[in-house]
Amino acid sequence: MGQISEFYKGKNILVTGATGFCGKVLVEKLLRSCNVGKIFILVRHKKKASPQQRFNDYVKHRIFDGLRSTDPLFSQRIHLISGDITIDDLAMSETDMNILIKELHIIFHCAANVRFDDPIREAININVVGTWRMLQLAEKCEHLEVFSYMSTAFSQACYTELKEEYYPTKIDVFEIIKLTKELEPEYLELIEQRLQKN
Ligand SMILES: NC(=O)c1ccc[n+]([C@@H]2O[C@H](COP(=O)([O-])OP(=O)(O)OC[C@H]3O[C@@H](n4cnc5c(N)ncnc54)[C@H](OP(=O)(O)O)[C@@H]3O)[C@@H](O)[C@H]2O)c1
């Protein structure tokens, strides 16, 4: 752990998807094992709860019980950023955006939609355009060292063996984004039906 915790020492980190299955484990581990600076978590508004209400519940989650017993002030290292990756500029306030641009060292992008049968337009907006929006933020950050994207076991399903290397896409990603924005719903439905059959 020596080298790893040394790397993270004092670093300010943004985690998207922090309220999700993987994100919660990541935030807890970073706080428990690495002497990080601030952890910013991007939380979206939900019908019944504001980001602030969700944040208040989040820090009470039982995943943090162990941490709470050794470091009762652990939640002071977690900072709420209200936002949504499906909206341009991530629906963040200008103040929050400027804080991130000036302070971030690391981004873990774990926010995603893992319902694989959702309408393709929504899935692309969250998983593809959402990631693009996060990369646009990363480009603006003045001290960023790492952008870490949590991918899925379901990518590159056409290969039986995957190496730790970049696999170019067969279709230009911006073409896919354009298509899903512009195609009439009935054509998108045809594509969805075809994908579900495969
Ligand atoms: N679970 C696994 O075993 C596993 C393994 C390998 C890779 N992965 C990958 O890891 C990623 C996360 O998976 P997970 O299992 O943690 O999923 P999850 O529990 O469904 O969490 C998804 C997270 O994304 C957030 N999110 C969704 N839409 C958002 C939006 N528009 N704006 C901001 N945040 C949004 C959710 O926030 P809300 O709380 O607001 O809904 C939640 O925090 C996925 O890409 C998945 O494929 C997962």
Side-chain angles (χ1 to χ4, degrees), residues 17-22 42 44 46 54 84-86 110-112 114 150-152:
T19 52
F21 177 76
C22 297
L42 184 92
R44 64 179 162 164
K46 282 215 163 160
R54 297 190 66 204
D84 189 321
I85 62 164
T86 58
C110 312
V114 292
M150 184 165 295
S151 184
T152 166

Side-chain angles (χ1 to χ4, degrees), residues 41-148:
I41 62 168
L42 184 92
V43 181
R44 64 179 162 164
H45 191 96
K46 282 215 163 160
K47 268 185 202 151
K48 289 186 183 157
S50 69
Q52 186 62 58
Q53 287 164 325
R54 297 190 66 204
F55 179 84
N56 298 345
D57 291 340
Y58 180 76
V59 293
K60 290 183 200 145
H61 194 279
R62 65 194 166 113
I63 198 167
F64 299 119
D65 282 355
L67 198 55
R68 210 182 328 274
S69 63
T70 54
D71 176 10
L73 299 179
F74 81 95
S75 63
Q76 291 182 0
R77 287 189 283 155
I78 312 180
H79 298 257
L80 168 68
I81 300 285
S82 302
D84 189 321
I85 62 164
T86 58
I87 297 171
D88 285 341
D89 285 332
L90 302 161
M92 271 181 207
S93 72
E94 209 178 313
T95 310
D96 281 348
M97 180 72 85
N98 285 333
I99 291 173
L100 295 180
I101 289 171
K102 292 218 171 334
E103 297 195 16
L104 278 186
H105 300 108
I106 298 167
I107 295 175
F108 282 103
H109 177 40
C110 312
N113 177 357
V114 292
R115 290 185 305 268
F116 296 120
D117 54 357
D118 262 5
I120 196 163
R121 186 174 277 159
E122 284 168 35
I124 294 276
N125 189 28
I126 297 180
N127 293 347
V128 181
V129 190
T131 304
W132 174 240
R133 292 184 180 107
M134 287 304 300
L135 286 167
Q136 286 176 314
L137 166 66
E139 277 196 324
K140 291 184 200 150
C141 291
E142 292 170 5
H143 308 286
L144 197 75
E145 295 173 33
V146 177
F147 181 98
S148 180

Side-chain angles (χ1 to χ4, degrees), residues 121 174-185 187-188:
R121 186 174 277 159
F174 293 103
E175 281 296 318
I176 298 174
I177 293 170
K178 194 164 173 269
L179 272 178
T180 50
K181 266 190 190 160
E182 290 176 3
L183 272 184
E184 296 297 330
Y187 293 115
L188 284 176

Side-chain angles (χ1 to χ4, degrees), residues 158-176:
C158 51
Y159 298 99
T160 51
E161 189 186 330
L162 281 173
K163 302 202 170 86
E164 236 179 281
E165 59 187 47
Y166 174 67
Y167 287 81
T169 50
K170 290 191 178 128
I171 311 172
D172 181 76
V173 72
F174 293 103
E175 281 296 318
I176 298 174

Side-chain angles (χ1 to χ4, degrees), residues 31-47:
L31 287 169
R32 180 163 46 86
S33 304
C34 306
N35 197 5
V36 293
K38 300 175 188 168
I39 297 196
F40 298 97
I41 62 168
L42 184 92
V43 181
R44 64 179 162 164
H45 191 96
K46 282 215 163 160
K47 268 185 202 151

